[in-house]
Amino acid sequence: MPNARLTTPSRRGILAAGGALGLGAALAACGSDSKDSGSGAKSGSAKSGPWSFKDDRGTTAKAEKVPANVVAFTSVAAALWDYGIECKGVFGPTTTSDGKADVQAGDIDVDKVTIIGNEWGRFNIEKYAGLAPDLLVTTVYDTAGTLWSVPLESKDKILKLAPSVGISVYDRQMTQPLQRLLALAASLGADVKADKVVKAKKRFEAAAARLRKAAKAHPEIRVLVGSASQDIFYVSGTNLSADLEYFKSLGVNFVEPSEKAKKASGGWFENLSWENIDKYPADVIMMDNRTATIQPADLDRDKATWKKLPAVKAGQVIPRVTEPIYSYDKCAPMLEDLAEAIEKAKKVG
């Protein structure tokens, strides 16, 4: 696990951060072919003529016409889906072991897309090439412009097959990637003035106002952001993560791990043993909802120290959407759920 003595972080560490700590080593370790597959879907209605889009790496993707065969990281594809752009292929957690949509897949019809890698860092190049891709889209979690879940050892081969777009979700508030993905969807032919989109944006704005009001009315409520593995409980800081930076700007009182403790993870989180998870008093706990992490129901069964936490006893535990689907439709409920939790929370920490 990532700590002061190790230079190569694990896959678990990256998951806990929701960021790109040590992507070089981790992607090299995780990148391999997936056996999962699906069927292609069409993109939204696109305009004719040359197309270009300058991404958050400062790179301009260009094509002779608007890309139709778009392949994207799952949560990015889910955001585009909300705007009417149906990606042909996806990579990243898409379906669970029972074939249902993963939490990161949103409203994607998982039977209509080709899955070229159903885990983080898995990417079947042959399957990708077979889609005749026009564009690859994913997120960026560092200043180097590393494309999330694109394996470093094979990225040169992958990026030769189609232009790529990286949307940064690193060290900025979530309103920025929301705006950027909306702009990308518009460039791909989405009707961003459609009633559904307008209503979703208004709902998001109303939810932000509600969260600000809740935080102001209950400044004493402390919110801890956690992620669980078998051996370690990770406490996330608010810096670097787009969702937490935005919630903090609205006034939410977050538990902040010490800067010294976070250094080992590049500033993302602090590692705690399960014996020491009561280090930081908290009234509400937000737990990483990704399928690769241990969920509260399992912790209730297996971890005695978890069950003793005051917030857990009070039933004041809610999911954290650690890798958000950056559409207004999917981000509005995140703000609403946190606002409701703060409004109803009792001071227990």
Side-chain angles (χ1 to χ4, degrees), residues 233-315:
F233 183 77
Y234 302 84
V235 179
S236 293
T238 58
N239 293 336
L240 307 182
S241 296
D243 60 330
L244 303 184
E245 285 200 13
Y246 185 54
F247 301 158
K248 185 178 180 179
S249 78
L250 296 175
V252 177
N253 180 12
F254 283 104
V255 169
E256 294 285 359
S258 70
E259 291 302 316
K260 181 179 180 180
K262 290 191 297 181
K263 280 185 179 180
S265 69
W268 290 95
F269 56 87
E270 177 179 355
N271 298 352
L272 295 178
S273 67
W274 283 102
E275 291 75 20
N276 296 313
I277 64 170
D278 59 353
K279 178 178 179 179
Y280 296 106
D283 306 294
V284 173
I285 300 176
M286 299 178 69
M287 286 297 293
D288 189 339
N289 75 332
R290 288 173 293 182
T291 52
T293 67
I294 302 177
Q295 297 304 301
D298 295 316
L299 296 176
D300 290 341
R301 184 184 64 243
D302 300 332
K303 299 293 184 182
T305 51
W306 164 261
K307 291 186 291 185
K308 293 179 181 179
L309 294 176
V312 175
K313 287 183 177 180

Side-chain angles (χ1 to χ4, degrees), residues 42-45 51 53 67-91 104-108 135-139 165 167 177-192 196-197 324-330:
K42 296 180 181 179
S43 295
S45 58
W51 173 89
F53 187 87
N69 294 346
V70 180
V71 176
F73 182 71
T74 304
S75 60
V76 174
L80 293 174
W81 187 283
D82 285 347
Y83 295 126
I85 304 299
E86 298 185 14
C87 292
K88 191 170 185 180
V90 295
F91 57 100
Q104 294 192 54
D107 293 332
I108 293 175
L135 179 67
L136 181 146
V137 190
T138 187
T139 47
V165 164
I167 301 295
L178 275 168
Q179 293 165 0
R180 294 293 285 147
L181 270 166
L182 183 66
L184 176 61
S187 78
L188 295 173
D191 180 3
V192 297
K196 176 184 176 182
V197 177
I325 295 169
Y326 283 103
S327 71
Y328 290 103
D329 181 72
K330 295 300 182 293

Side-chain angles (χ1 to χ4, degrees), residues 10 161 196 264 296:
S10 71
L161 296 174
K196 176 184 176 182

